[in-house]
Amino acid sequence: MAKKKKNTTKPAALSPKVFLKEKAAKLPVYKCFISKNYDKAGEAHVIISRVRGNGKLSVAHFLIDLWCLGVKDAFGNVNMEKDNFEKYLKGIDILKETDYDFVHNLIYGAIEFAEEGGIEPVSAFDIWEGMLAEDNDDIPLIEMEFGKDGKHFLVTEPGSPSSLLIPKLKSKLGENFSYMFIGKDIDSYDPTLPEETIPFHYDYPAYPEKLKLKNQFIADILLNPANEGYIPKEDMDKIINLPEDEVEEDLTQLILWEIGRTYRQINEDPDYYVNNDLLIISLLLLGYIGAENSFDTVMEVLHQSPDFLDAHLYVAMGEYLQAALLPSILANLDKAEKFINEQGHASDAYISMLETLTQAALANPGYYDRIVGMLTDWAEKMPERLVEGNWFTSEIPGFLTAALIDLNAQDALPYLKKIYETELVDEGICGDWNEVLSAIERQNKPIEPRIHSKEQLYKMLTEKPEE
């Protein structure tokens, strides 16, 4: 079957974590890109793509700080259509093509330089490093310079997570490094303050402790270890030939049971949880049958912790949740609006709901104004919430901006401008304000919706994972 992130192309048949660990680096390199001005800016966007056997691409995007921090971010898509990759590149107007050996040396050289200051790559690199060849003598060594004027140079904001690294840099490097603050409130900076996080909160309801299904064989199929990651076609056909209301009722029971069975363990120690793909398959099945009464159950998934979502749904969670939400979202827009205006959800939950609303608006013109109005209202409220500091990560306004660009929401421009004036937006998603303004003013109409067909969902569900 298929598995994981934040994107609209079909996921791969193999779990991305396993695929990236065991398969990705063996694929032939397709194209590599780097920021045009990386040497002057001290920061580089690096994109590496490899060709899968199915003709699609596995793509990794790394954000590299060449002056101090090494790998600051890592994300990607393990099963991307080539035309979607080209569109993705066009949305980042700062790239030039280069060769793999160069970016390989750049990434590992930046990591080695950062480690001199006691700084490790961002945790996501552990996953996406699978797109890189082994760092050995098979890769020609290219001499590169890191740092600024021969030493580590940290560019940071007062009170930000990276600013809290200054004591570590001092302990490792003594006076052989420098730093510069950007942003506000420099006088109030205190490097001893603990790192701030966006608080997660949910009052968990009671979940079913025992399964009471009309069709027990559905659970037997989905929980059978021999079927890990997919449903055999003969079993899939047996399920979808049942009355759809029975399938929907059984799947919602399975989802709630699985949440109740696993959320405590994951929240306490996510590293020891082993996923069985039950939620992924159930969500995709709800999408396949067009389940119209499962909204509240799917919302229980969105209410879960960041660790829970990552453990169960991996990087393609937006696709699985979107598939399950789309059949029922239009009848539940009030609940969806309430959700995005609540505090305490995981970032990926906000993003998944945002992407679902965007696709629903694009696919259903009669609801376009209603949904665009919801998102514009959200944009109006966002600057105050960003400044407050405990609502959203910087990703959320970035993805909201992307959605409003896709929807050609010209009326939202004044609110987006105020959002960007907070300087609390991840500009790696849509670029800086000038790039956003250019993109939304250049667009004459909303983009075409990107929604999986029943045929695509059937294939995703019944594709046997690669060995």
Side-chain angles (χ1 to χ4, degrees), residues 45 70 76 115 131 148 166 193 228 241 273-274 278 320 409:
H45 289 271
E115 287 175 343
M131 284 286 288
K148 189 172 177 63
I166 292 174
L193 291 173
E228 183 178 359
N241 283 327
Y273 173 71
V274 179
L278 176 62
Y320 308 135

Side-chain angles (χ1 to χ4, degrees), residues 145-284:
E145 292 186 5
F146 297 93
K148 189 172 177 63
D149 299 326
K151 60 184 182 180
H152 291 73
F153 179 61
L154 176 65
V155 179
T156 185
E157 296 181 9
S160 68
S162 60
S163 71
L164 304 178
L165 295 170
I166 292 174
K168 177 180 284 190
L169 289 165
K170 284 184 178 179
S171 69
K172 290 284 186 178
L173 303 172
E175 298 302 317
N176 192 31
F177 85 102
S178 58
Y179 57 89
M180 179 180 74
F181 287 125
I182 57 175
K184 305 173 183 177
D185 300 329
I186 291 177
D187 292 339
S188 65
Y189 169 66
D190 179 356
T192 65
L193 291 173
E195 180 177 347
E196 292 185 359
T197 58
I198 304 301
F200 166 80
H201 173 74
Y202 187 49
D203 293 324
Y204 291 93
Y207 297 112
E209 297 182 2
K210 294 183 179 180
L211 286 173
K212 298 179 181 179
L213 306 180
K214 291 186 176 180
N215 301 280
Q216 178 61 37
F217 77 89
I218 295 179
D220 297 339
I221 292 170
L222 270 57
L223 293 170
N224 185 347
N227 298 339
E228 183 178 359
Y230 84 116
I231 303 175
K233 288 185 178 180
E234 59 272 21
D235 291 330
M236 176 69 173
D237 293 340
K238 186 177 179 182
I239 292 172
I240 63 180
N241 283 327
L242 292 169
E244 289 184 356
D245 60 337
E246 288 188 13
V247 177
E248 180 175 2
E249 185 176 341
D250 285 349
L251 289 174
T252 56
Q253 282 293 305
L254 276 165
I255 289 171
L256 295 174
W257 172 79
E258 180 70 355
I259 293 173
R261 191 181 68 87
T262 62
Y263 81 87
R264 291 185 181 88
Q265 177 191 352
I266 294 171
N267 291 348
E268 290 173 2
D269 197 345
D271 290 339
Y272 285 90
Y273 173 71
V274 179
N275 185 22
N276 58 15
D277 291 341
L278 176 62
L279 286 190
I280 291 175
I281 297 174
S282 297
L283 291 169
L284 290 175

